[in-house]
Amino acid sequence: MSSVVVLRARDHALVLDATGPRLPRVLHWGSDLGPLAHEDVARMRRAADLGQGHSAFDEPMPVTISRDPADGFLGAPTVSGHRDGRAFSTRFRLEAITADDRTCTVTGADDAAGLRLETTFAMAPEGVLRIRYRLTNVGTDAYTVDDVQVGLPLPAQATEVMDFTGNWSREVYPQRRRIEHGRWVREIREGRTGHDHTLTFMAMTADARFRAGSVWSLSLAWSGNSRHVVERLADGTTHIGAGELLLPGEVVLAPGESYLAPEVVAVHSSAGLDGAAGMLHDWLRARPQHPRRPRPLTINVWEAVYFDHRFAKLEQLADVCAEIGVERFVLDDGWFGARRDDRAGLGDWVVSPDAWPQGLHPLAQCLADRGIEFGLWFEPEMVNPDSDLFRAHPDWILQVDGRVPPEWRHQQVLDLSHEGAFAHVLAQIDAVLTEYPTIRFLKWDHNRPLTDPGHLGRPGVRLQTLALYRLLDEVKRRHPGIEIESCSSGGGRIDLGIMEHCDRVHASDNNEALERQRIQRWTMQLLPPELVDSHVSPSPGHTAGRAHGLTFRLITALFGHAGIEWDITQTTPEERAILRSWAEYYKANRVLLHSGRMVRLDLPTADASAHGVIAADGSRALLAYVQEGVAVASRPAMLRLSGLDPDARYRIVEVRPAGTPRYWQIRLPGWLQDGVELPGRVLMDVGVQPPILCAEQATLFELTKVTA
Ligand code: GLA
């Protein structure tokens, strides 16, 4: 049995002391310490020995990966549960451990509680550490699992915690606070990931920002209820943790049964928030299922036509799409059953003969004729009480006996772990995709939280989440190559669990450029741009109601999986020419946009922001300079770039494929005329003078490495 485990990659290392007899203790979680000899770890253990303080356990027990209350751990333990009130506390002993350079599996047993705990740690080459617990009931009666939480110790220099909050149309608002004594807990109890879910949960040094400082980040790969915690105990011990939030009695293990907790994905970076995001992006990009074909320029017709599905209008839209160069056309809500508004039809996934007398064939043909791919909206987990499905099977909804959940957008949640309901939805989706083989993209929506989520009288969120994953996989198995977008009233289901089954997310129903600057900036703390939709909105935006110029909207939409959500039949020829130029620019640059390293600059004042991508080989970069509010200084601070090769020379030029922004000056900075060539070190240490822009404007800079 190995008594020392060191997993390391990039800027990230985990060092475990596994001398037993208890489960391993984390000696270090954080920056890479370089190669460590066996003896070094023994010395680390010695160097970390506290000795014996007053008013303390006579034999201080190290905090292990099972954080056992029976050993004196006084914070929230790794495993909580009971056998009808007994076996309420744990003390695991080390039974087996196997490890290589990248993975480690630890098996622990608690004979008194009748439990076995298996923990796996897997360090990917990109520096992403995945941690997973499996708890097995080896006793003779039922064991109720209340909680299984991953927890990792934080060093004293991690003094702050940052997480995200949000609601519909206002997703991913960052909030940051000092870590104090006690618990800071973020919980989701709405049965889906939720708009208020913290996309990542990060501890950090006080100086951490986009491009500097240290970050310890956790993300839960799960689309149901969740809990993220940072806890500082009275003795100063501090942990950061994450896990599924189980409802009372949700998981009861019969003898021999196991609970496999959702995976927790951890990264550490000493290169700031961008460093942490970069590791996650690289790891996601290395997955075999990561979408690799160029991300098609997409139109979603929701904000163009809403429920008004007239073929003539959609054909007109398709014509303008062809003129602009749109490559994918997504028909949104309203094509099925009695769905002429949001009061009826969910659950009846059959093309409506009222809206579509000849089926979707005319539209499929119209798109094929124009070389545009076809995409379709579904909301498979939902049912309107006014639907054939509900009339036939009113019992197929999640509910508690004798009580029907309050409606939300006139809908209830279908109980997908009911085999009949699952089979019904699968068969209907399958039939549509079989009849219309040119549909290559699904927008998979989920527009309400789960209330009273009972399956046969017991809490059913976990079962529902697993059934959803199964359904997504089965649709993909039957229709290879089909891509699926995760949407939940916009960004209500964005997490690493759903990303194992989907190909991109709808980050928000708020497509307004100013809000999207923030939403995209922070959604990309977790996901690389090619997985995040970024659609050009109408002006004024339909959700936030503000008006913005086309250039600002287009530059905002460029940095993601770009698209349009706007009735472009109403555009002027001039606007269409700019849309076409932007579309060409997106296509010419999407390899860079979707494979480069993300950069978010740390600007001195909050009125402006700057973000972009640098090609993996450092040869090119694309940067947006965004004036979000009225400029606080009449001489905006020099724009100091980041992430360049200091010893290379670069040419930086302003480009206008999306039209010209509104400047707020009589004469522009001289270098804007034809660019300037400077060493990377100068661009990073001194920078260039950005123009003075009016509020809610943006401009684009291209950087090219100059080769001798
Ligand atoms: C949700 C989605 C929208 C749109 C509507 C359709 O709100 O987030 O993008 O698809 O449903 O009803």
Side-chain angles (χ1 to χ4, degrees), residues 302 307 332-333 339 377 409 443 445 447 487 489-490 506 509:
W302 178 240
F307 287 106
D332 211 279
D333 196 356
R339 189 77 170 170
W377 182 94
R409 209 188 184 206
K443 176 174 173 182
D445 214 333
N447 282 316
C487 171
S489 303
H506 182 38
D509 275 352

Side-chain angles (χ1 to χ4, degrees), residues 234-291:
D235 70 358
T237 310
T238 310
H239 277 80
I240 185 169
E244 180 180 5
L245 184 154
L246 294 172
L247 295 174
E250 184 155 20
V251 174
V252 180
L253 301 177
E257 281 184 349
S258 294
Y259 165 69
L260 182 61
E263 203 163 67
V264 171
V265 174
V267 294
H268 167 271
S269 162
S270 38
L273 292 157
D274 276 3
M279 290 157 96
L280 289 163
H281 294 183
D282 288 352
W283 171 66
L284 286 163
R285 284 174 173 165
R287 300 168 308 153
Q289 78 269 33
H290 193 72

Side-chain angles (χ1 to χ4, degrees), residues 67 149-152 201 218 227-231 239-243 264:
R67 292 175 291 159
Q149 287 269 326
V150 166
L152 288 169
F201 192 64
L218 297 186
R227 180 182 292 126
H228 291 81
V229 178
V230 68
E231 178 174 49
H239 277 80
I240 185 169
V264 171

Side-chain angles (χ1 to χ4, degrees), residues 542-585:
H542 287 191
T543 34
R546 277 174 296 216
H548 288 116
L550 186 54
T551 302
F552 181 47
R553 282 144 60 210
L554 291 174
I555 290 178
T556 302
L558 188 66
F559 290 86
H561 179 175
I564 298 171
E565 190 146 348
W566 172 22
D567 182 1
I568 45 176
T569 63
Q570 301 303 306
T571 49
T572 63
E574 293 73 32
E575 286 175 322
R576 287 212 277 280
I578 296 178
L579 277 163
R580 194 166 52 240
S581 146
W582 165 80
E584 279 162 14
Y585 191 80

Side-chain angles (χ1 to χ4, degrees), residues 145 225 355 562 628 698:
V145 183
N225 289 331
E628 295 188 19

Side-chain angles (χ1 to χ4, degrees), residues 60-361:
M61 283 291 175
V63 179
T64 72
I65 57 169
S66 49
R67 292 175 291 159
D68 291 306
D71 271 342
F73 183 71
L74 297 175
T78 299
V79 173
S80 306
H82 61 97
R83 297 177 190 280
D84 200 13
R86 291 174 300 108
F88 62 89
S89 167
T90 60
R91 171 188 283 170
F92 287 96
R93 77 184 148 74
L94 182 61
E95 212 176 53
I97 180 164
T98 55
D100 56 30
D101 286 353
R102 291 270 186 246
T103 58
C104 169
T105 304
V106 180
T107 310
D110 179 336
D111 301 327
L115 295 173
R116 168 166 294 122
L117 183 67
E118 191 180 87
T119 315
T120 53
F121 298 93
M123 180 71 87
E126 298 79 17
V128 168
L129 176 69
R130 290 175 299 140
I131 307 167
R132 191 155 211 184
Y133 285 114
R134 180 192 290 276
L135 182 70
T136 304
N137 177 10
V138 293
T140 52
D141 54 0
Y143 179 82
T144 301
V145 183
D146 290 337
D147 196 16
V148 175
Q149 287 269 326
V150 166
L152 288 169
L154 288 173
Q157 64 270 31
T159 53
E160 299 190 358
V161 63
M162 183 173 173
D163 55 66
F164 299 96
T165 174
N167 46 41
W168 177 69
S169 270
R170 184 187 175 273
E171 290 85 347
V172 276
Y173 246 85
Q175 46 183 13
R176 187 167 174 169
R177 65 193 65 220
R178 275 187 61 78
I179 298 174
E180 305 282 5
H181 282 267
R183 276 160 77 76
W184 170 244
V185 187
R186 296 298 319 282
E187 288 183 345
I188 293 291
R189 293 172 175 273
E190 56 180 88
R192 61 173 169 177
T193 317
H195 294 87
D196 196 31
H197 168 252
T198 183
L199 216 54
T200 60
F201 192 64
M202 296 179 283
M204 51 185 63
T205 49
D207 64 348
R209 48 194 193 275
F210 288 129
R211 306 291 301 170
S214 292
V215 175
W216 293 256
S217 155
L218 297 186
S219 312
L220 186 69
W222 185 242
S223 315
N225 289 331
S226 64
R227 180 182 292 126
H228 291 81
V229 178
V230 68
E231 178 174 49
R232 172 161 296 163
L233 302 180
D235 70 358
T237 310
T238 310
H239 277 80
I240 185 169
E244 180 180 5
L245 184 154
L246 294 172
L247 295 174
E250 184 155 20
V251 174
V252 180
L253 301 177
E257 281 184 349
S258 294
Y259 165 69
L260 182 61
E263 203 163 67
V264 171
V265 174
V267 294
H268 167 271
S269 162
S270 38
L273 292 157
D274 276 3
M279 290 157 96
L280 289 163
H281 294 183
D282 288 352
W283 171 66
L284 286 163
R285 284 174 173 165
R287 300 168 308 153
Q289 78 269 33
H290 193 72
R292 287 195 166 73
R293 93 184 149 99
R295 302 291 72 215
L297 188 71
T298 298
I299 188 167
N300 179 295
V301 304
W302 178 240
E303 291 195 13
V305 300
Y306 291 102
F307 287 106
D308 190 4
H309 283 203
R310 273 169 301 145
F311 175 64
K313 171 74 183 188
L314 292 163
E315 192 179 34
Q316 246 186 325
L317 257 176
D319 280 334
V320 183
C321 285
E323 184 188 333
I324 289 168
V326 170
E327 298 164 301
R328 175 185 279 166
F329 184 107
V330 183
L331 183 66
D332 211 279
D333 196 356
W335 57 268
F336 52 90
R339 189 77 170 170
R340 301 294 75 74
D341 56 33
D342 64 9
R343 295 178 165 269
L346 288 177
D348 301 335
W349 304 105
V350 174
V351 180
S352 155
D354 298 337
W356 294 93
Q358 295 163 266
L360 296 173
H361 295 289

